[in-house]
Amino acid sequence: MDINSLLQSGHQLQLVVSAADLREAFMAWSESRLAEEWLPTSVVTGKYGVCKQTLKNYERGDLLHPVRRGVEKHYRLSELKQVFGE
């Protein structure tokens, strides 16, 4: 079993890993995040007809997990599709 499988299992674990293994896991994780499509708040509000407060409410409800790029938040398209049923 590799580190990525352990991390994806969702179980609480305490691990001792080498720096090389940790680097490999981080690189795989970061590549998967970069491969996803992200939309800025301004696009999300127009595309789905919601206001910024609605997006904040979904964040508080743990339905959306945006990242901040510069001054604007960006939302993962796959999460938006789940929340808004597209």
Side-chain angles (χ1 to χ4, degrees):
M1 182 177 272
D2 65 353
I3 291 176
N4 289 325
S5 299
L6 291 171
L7 294 173
Q8 291 175 356
S9 72
H11 295 86
Q12 289 186 348
L13 302 170
Q14 185 173 9
L15 303 173
V16 177
V17 297
S18 70
D21 286 342
L22 186 59
R23 182 180 184 278
E24 177 186 330
F26 176 77
M27 295 302 286
W29 173 80
S30 63
E31 287 173 9
S32 69
R33 287 184 56 98
L34 290 174
E36 292 190 56
E37 188 173 350
W38 295 79
L39 300 177
T41 302
S42 57
V43 172
V44 174
T45 55
K47 180 175 181 173
Y48 294 101
V50 296
C51 64
K52 289 181 181 181
Q53 186 60 49
T54 299
L55 296 174
K56 287 180 187 178
N57 292 340
Y58 284 140
E59 289 172 43
R60 287 189 198 114
D62 205 31
L63 296 172
L64 293 175
H65 307 92
V67 295
R68 187 170 293 280
R69 293 182 180 166
V71 296
E72 193 166 30
K73 292 181 181 179
H74 285 69
Y75 295 85
R76 187 178 295 140
L77 184 58
S78 59
E79 284 185 346
L80 293 168
K81 288 180 177 181
Q82 287 178 335
V83 170
F84 296 108
E86 187 178 297

